[in-house]
Amino acid sequence: MAGIKALISLSFGGAIGLMFLMLGCALPVYDKYWPLFLLFFYILSPIPYCISRRVVDDTDSASNACKELAIFLTTGIVISAFGLPIVFARAQVIAWGACALVLTGNIVIFGTILGFFMVFGSNDDFSWQQW
Amino acid sequence: MAGFLDNSAGLSASAMDWGERRNTVASIGAGVLFFSGWWIMIDAAVTYPEQEQMNHAFHTCGVFSTIAFFMINAVSNGQVRGDTYGEAVWDAQGPALVVPGFMMMFGSLIASIWILFGAYVVPKKEVAPGLAVFFQNAFIFFSTLIYKFGRTEDLWG
């Protein structure tokens, strides 16, 4: 069970990702706050998987249809979080430089969320008193 | 567990532990394709807002493809084959969703190809919106196939 180091690195990753997002919005040369809509996707992305973990308590089988649907939806949310800044930039709503910053932030944040699930999400010792 | 890979002709045999991961990989691949198709269409709708550049009616292909995706994937392969335990009447209704679903899916795919050639290539208009319609439907089609046939139900216990 990973401890405090993983927690700190994941928090750092999250902070850096959000920093990139905010830079893409707030730098004076860009000054457009449309990319903040991505926060909606960031918050939404863990939800399908968490719901499927709670609803189906099947530890015997390796997989089940609900989990796969959750993975499908999560992939969709991630793709949408990459697609939205690109569509914004192609419509000249934001600058391409801002788009690049936001996409970098995306990669960091989704890496952090994935890391969070890999480190803290395993089913082996499912107890809440670990740390 | 090694038996079910025998029919998957294209998969490399050197991939480690394919068995357990197969469903997850198929779900991710299907998700990437499906949503990329939709974002291609959203991009085309934003970039070509005029009715002359891209007739708004062309969105119907994508909508029907999406409905078909959910119809086809609502029923597991086991139910279509008929090897479920269920005695209830509605358990035999697998093909009632799958057959119209595939018909809609193929119809939308063919329609998108027709749109591309009939409304864009032949009249020599700027072809990008037509390509977007085609790619949206092609991606959704392949996503459906991967999600339906790329997953094995052996892992469902």
Side-chain angles (χ1 to χ4, degrees):
Chain A
M1 180 64 194
I4 200 77
K5 270 196 208 161
L7 198 61
I8 292 184
S9 352
L10 288 173
S11 313
F12 185 66
I16 295 288
L18 286 174
M19 177 196 83
F20 275 114
L21 179 66
M22 286 312 298
L23 277 180
C25 296
L27 281 178
V29 64
Y30 303 132
D31 200 27
K32 292 271 191 325
Y33 287 86
W34 293 107
L36 288 183
F37 274 107
L38 285 174
L39 290 172
F40 176 69
F41 289 121
Y42 296 161
I43 293 176
L44 221 51
S45 61
I47 291 178
Y49 190 68
C50 289
I51 291 179
S52 84
R53 280 265 294 272
R54 289 296 193 105
V55 162
V56 179
D57 199 21
D58 203 355
T59 45
D60 303 340
S61 64
S63 181
N64 59 71
C66 193
K67 177 179 159 210
E68 286 154 20
L69 181 64
I71 291 176
F72 176 82
L73 293 175
T74 308
T75 311
I77 293 171
V78 170
I79 296 283
S80 300
F82 281 96
L84 184 63
I86 294 178
V87 171
F88 276 154
R90 278 177 47 87
Q92 277 123 28
V93 169
I94 64 175
W96 281 103
C99 174
L101 279 172
V102 167
L103 290 181
T104 311
N106 262 357
I107 295 174
V108 174
I109 290 230
F110 285 123
T112 303
I113 294 178
L114 181 67
F116 183 83
F117 273 107
M118 281 169 47
V119 167
F120 291 106
S122 62
N123 266 332
D124 305 342
D125 336 291
F126 202 58
S127 108
W128 297 100
Q129 277 93 12
Q130 289 293 345
W131 44 278
Chain B
M1 191 166 73
F4 70 80
L5 282 181
D6 291 341
N7 295 329
S8 335
L11 295 176
S12 114
S14 63
M16 43 75 196
D17 204 10
W18 248 113
E20 299 249 332
R21 297 286 183 83
R22 176 181 158 167
N23 281 15
T24 307
V25 171
S27 304
I28 293 176
V32 167
L33 280 174
F34 182 89
F35 286 95
S36 300
W38 268 104
W39 276 98
I40 289 173
M41 196 58 185
I42 292 173
D43 178 75
V46 167
T47 313
Y48 301 98
E50 301 301 321
Q51 182 83 343
E52 292 78 36
Q53 296 166 310
M54 184 177 81
N55 193 329
H56 297 134
F58 296 157
H59 286 282
T60 32
C61 289
V63 171
F64 275 98
S65 288
T66 304
I67 294 175
F69 176 96
F70 288 109
M71 283 172 72
I72 291 170
N73 283 303
V75 179
S76 68
N77 289 334
Q79 277 188 323
V80 177
R81 273 200 301 270
D83 48 33
T84 55
Y85 302 115
E87 296 283 330
V89 171
W90 72 283
D91 282 333
Q93 306 306 335
L97 273 184
V98 171
V99 172
F102 269 111
M103 285 170 63
M104 279 164 66
M105 180 63 75
F106 283 118
S108 300
L109 183 65
I110 293 168
S112 69
I113 299 175
W114 188 352
I115 286 172
L116 170 62
F117 284 101
Y120 287 96
V121 172
V122 168
K124 298 206 188 328
K125 287 167 64 171
E126 189 193 353
V127 84
L131 281 177
V133 174
F134 168 66
F135 277 118
Q136 180 201 20
N137 287 280
F139 281 5
I140 295 179
F141 174 72
F142 286 116
S143 159
T144 310
L145 290 184
I146 292 176
Y147 199 69
K148 181 112 191 105
F149 299 116
R151 302 180 298 152
T152 170
E153 291 169 16
D154 296 338
L155 291 178
W156 289 0

